[in-house]
């Protein structure tokens, strides 16, 4: 399928036939824009941005598309 924008995220147009790909607009403390999602899908990671890690701490880093089949993201923190 193709990627479509919904109210809370970006998902696969073939969701009715079992495609589970979804990227939530609000991920790791950031509200992802259409441009950020397009960049992420093309390059596999976002540009550098301010995010919140799993412990709730603010960090500078990138979101990385860990699993292109499901849209699972992981945070790649940048060392200061």
């Amino acid at each position: 399928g193709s990627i479509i924008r919904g109210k809370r995220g970006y998902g696969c147009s073939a969701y009715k036939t079992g495609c589970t790909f979804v990227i939530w607009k609000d991920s790791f403390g950031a509200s992802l824009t259409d441009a950020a999602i397009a960049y992420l899908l093309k390059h596999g990671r976002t540009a550098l941005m301010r995010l919140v890690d799993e412990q709730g701490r603010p960090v500078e880093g990138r979101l990385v598309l860990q699993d292109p089949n499901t849209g699972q993201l992981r945070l790649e923190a940048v060392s200061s």
Side-chain angles (χ1 to χ4, degrees), residues 39-46 63-66:
Y39 189 91
L40 171 65
L41 293 173
K42 182 175 182 179
H43 300 283
R45 63 187 33 162
T46 63
L63 294 179
V64 177
L65 185 58
Q66 183 168 328

Side-chain angles (χ1 to χ4, degrees), residues 4 11 23-25 28 32-35 43-44 47-48 52 54-56 58 62 66-68 70-71 75-77:
I4 56 173
I23 296 175
W24 301 112
K25 287 182 184 178
F28 291 93
L32 300 174
T33 63
D34 290 349
H43 300 283
L48 207 55
V52 177
E54 291 84 2
Q55 289 77 37
R62 294 175 176 84
Q66 183 168 328
D67 187 342
T70 65
L75 186 141
E76 179 180 81

Side-chain angles (χ1 to χ4, degrees), residues 27-30 49-61 63 75:
S27 296
F28 291 93
M49 55 195 324
R50 291 215 152 275
L51 302 165
V52 177
D53 69 10
E54 291 84 2
Q55 289 77 37
R57 297 178 300 219
V59 296
E60 192 167 5
L63 294 179
L75 186 141

